[in-house]
Amino acid sequence: MTDLKSAKAALRKVLNEKLNALTSEEVERQSKEVEKKVLAHPKYKDSKRLAIYLCMPKEIQTTGILRHALESGKTCYIPRYQTKSNYMDMVRLHSWEEYDALPVTRWNIKQPPMSQSCETALASGGLDLILMPGLGFTREGHRMGRGKGYYDTFLAKCKASQTPPPSTIALAFKEQVLPEIPTDETDIMIDIVMTAE
């Protein structure tokens, strides 16, 4: 177990260095390509209830997808993380104005405060699709997150509470896709890993 932990820690360091080396132009270029692919994908087109992560600077940018989803009348949910645990819920976002007004966490991610009562995805009918981030991926759908386990925990909850579980699409820079990554049984596979390529 400690071997796996140290293998993951070493790989996270390498991936973080790769991401930090990306210029803002390259982040923008790959994000635009991925956005086009998402908007054209049948899983996205057919989805009515979807969860979209709100991006950090060195992640595929999702604001264009979020705006499109809201304007297309899709029911959108965004992550709300509890910093001291691996607990995350997907909470309803009603409009672009609401998104604009959201406060920013210390990770520089917008989210509604924990004190605010919000409609959650799993309590109100589940999800069709989850667009998710991560740090490293394989083409086959193995995913390594940033080490907190938010998405693995949430996906396990989805599987337990709705049949069929939501489709999952991870959005990644080509630099994040590797031949293999160390995983264990708590790491949940992703249906599609989407890159600019």
Side-chain angles (χ1 to χ4, degrees):
M1 192 64 193
T2 50
D3 289 354
L4 181 72
K5 264 201 147 114
S6 53
K8 281 186 171 185
L11 190 53
R12 281 195 179 100
K13 189 168 181 287
V14 171
L15 285 163
N16 276 315
E17 283 166 6
K18 274 190 182 183
L19 290 176
N20 288 334
L22 290 175
T23 63
S24 52
E25 292 75 26
E26 187 56 15
V27 167
E28 174 108 348
R29 184 190 74 77
Q30 289 194 44
S31 292
K32 282 275 171 261
E33 285 302 311
V34 171
E35 180 179 317
K36 269 191 271 189
K37 282 188 174 180
V38 170
L39 300 187
H41 200 281
K43 291 266 190 225
Y44 172 79
K45 286 181 161 172
D46 296 344
S47 70
K48 297 189 170 47
R49 298 169 60 84
L50 78 158
I52 307 179
Y53 72 91
L54 301 184
C55 48
M56 297 196 280
K58 295 292 167 124
E59 287 178 333
I60 291 289
Q61 305 297 291
T62 54
T63 40
I65 301 169
L66 180 66
R67 188 187 276 274
H68 182 275
L70 286 165
E71 286 171 359
S72 312
K74 294 181 187 292
T75 305
C76 295
Y77 294 85
I78 56 169
R80 180 162 66 174
Y81 305 93
Q82 264 184 3
T83 43
K84 295 280 186 280
S85 70
N86 63 359
Y87 180 80
M88 172 183 79
D89 239 327
M90 293 292 176
V91 297
R92 176 84 188 266
L93 183 72
H94 294 86
S95 65
W96 187 255
E97 293 66 35
E98 187 185 354
Y99 165 78
D100 246 0
L102 286 175
V104 171
T105 67
R106 62 190 179 87
W107 292 332
N108 217 12
I109 302 174
K110 285 174 170 277
Q111 75 171 30
M114 280 320 229
S115 56
Q116 187 179 325
S117 129
C118 296
E119 175 189 315
T120 64
L122 296 185
S124 63
L127 290 162
D128 306 323
L129 176 64
I130 301 176
L131 298 180
M132 56 197 289
L135 199 50
F137 306 93
T138 65
R139 287 268 165 234
E140 299 72 49
H142 289 287
R143 170 185 176 273
M144 184 173 70
R146 294 176 185 275
K148 296 269 197 246
Y150 287 116
Y151 275 90
D152 288 319
T153 308
F154 184 74
L155 290 176
K157 267 197 293 194
C158 289
K159 284 195 161 139
S161 72
Q162 66 173 95
T163 313
S167 299
T168 49
I169 300 180
L171 310 185
F173 297 108
K174 64 181 196 298
E175 289 77 5
Q176 293 175 282
V177 180
L178 306 168
E180 55 182 20
I181 50 179
T183 54
D184 62 22
E185 63 287 347
T186 61
D187 294 308
I188 291 180
M189 297 274 287
I190 304 308
D191 299 327
I192 300 165
V193 176
M194 203 175 272
T195 64
E197 312 307 67

